[in-house]
Amino acid sequence: MTRTGDSRGRERRGRARLRDAAYELFSREGVTQVGVDAVVARAGTAKMTLYRNFPSKDALVVDFLRERERRWTREWLEAESARRADDPVDQLLAIFDLFAEWFATPAFEGCAFISTLLEVRDPRDSAHRASVEHLAAIRGVVAERAARAGVAEPEEFARRWHIVMKGTIVAAQEGDRNAAAAGRELALLLLARHGLSPSEPSS
């Protein structure tokens, strides 16, 4: 490998370490409470490595939110709930089964998109806008499944379903140990309103 190749490899590794460090710290402590020095220290890189990859903390936060969507929304919530059921209604309800498992883990940190919206109140801020966009992506997953289930207005259904999801997460952060079960009960009521039910009797 040439020196240029070595340099590019180190840069990629440095970027990956920074991304992982930011993901861990921002998820657990919030985007406003963590400074770039803490990210650099956790990553074990030089500060210049951070600024070569992310020109500002705002850019790092937006990258974190994009990474959160990839890891949490796409690779976990969407993929795992689809893996657990074939029927779109059952896939929707599987979200709350996943929530129950998530809430029970010591690493439960809440929704990074909601947390960022509450921390960064200015709707013109890039982090605020990114959070809104990533929350919309979650509704998109719900709307797609609702459409496959035969819901006439899947986007409106997804808006209501997402309100239940967000409320369930916040309740769990309050310490409600039965938040996921309560959210599932509300979700069943919403499904019934649209003439839908799970393929298997709810437990």
Side-chain angles (χ1 to χ4, degrees):
M1 183 180 291
T2 65
R3 290 183 179 179
T4 300
D6 288 339
S7 176
R8 288 175 179 171
R10 286 195 300 272
E11 198 70 18
R12 285 195 298 271
R13 290 190 294 273
R15 181 181 179 87
R17 288 199 300 271
L18 287 163
R19 178 171 280 158
D20 288 342
Y23 190 92
E24 178 185 349
L25 291 171
F26 289 156
S27 294
R28 189 177 68 240
E29 301 178 25
V31 299
T32 61
Q33 298 300 312
V34 177
V36 294
D37 288 342
V39 174
V40 168
R42 178 59 58 89
T45 64
K47 187 176 285 190
M48 283 305 300
T49 302
L50 185 146
Y51 286 120
R52 280 197 300 269
N53 286 280
F54 306 100
S56 66
K57 181 184 174 182
D58 286 347
L60 184 62
V61 170
V62 170
D63 182 81
F64 154 67
L65 293 169
R66 188 181 302 116
E67 185 70 2
R68 182 74 174 184
E69 179 178 320
R70 183 183 71 82
R71 297 187 191 187
W72 190 91
T73 304
R74 301 302 179 186
E75 295 183 358
W76 180 67
L77 187 72
E78 181 178 12
E80 182 61 18
S81 59
R83 188 190 68 80
R84 294 189 179 198
D86 295 323
D87 182 82
V89 171
D90 294 337
Q91 290 176 350
L92 286 170
L93 286 171
I95 290 171
F96 295 95
D97 298 332
L98 288 172
F99 277 7
E101 297 168 12
W102 180 36
F103 298 163
T105 64
F108 171 60
E109 72 282 54
C111 175
F113 308 132
I114 295 173
S115 297
T116 301
L117 282 180
L118 296 176
E119 289 184 73
V120 185
R121 303 285 294 278
D122 186 350
R124 298 166 297 181
D125 188 280
S126 58
H128 187 102
R129 294 197 307 271
S131 297
V132 170
E133 291 170 5
H134 293 309
L135 285 167
I138 297 171
R139 287 195 300 277
V141 173
V142 174
E144 185 273 334
R145 292 176 181 179
R148 285 196 287 116
V151 174
E153 296 181 348
E155 289 79 14
E156 187 60 24
F157 174 93
R159 187 180 70 83
R160 290 181 167 87
W161 188 275
H162 198 206
I163 288 172
V164 177
M165 288 175 62
K166 289 181 286 191
T168 301
I169 294 170
V170 172
Q173 287 185 284
E174 288 182 291
D176 184 349
R177 296 184 178 183
N178 297 312
R184 195 178 194 280
E185 289 178 10
L186 292 171
L188 284 166
L189 291 175
L190 182 56
L191 288 169
R193 180 179 177 183
H194 289 268
L196 300 171
S197 60
S199 60
E200 297 293 335
S202 60
S203 55

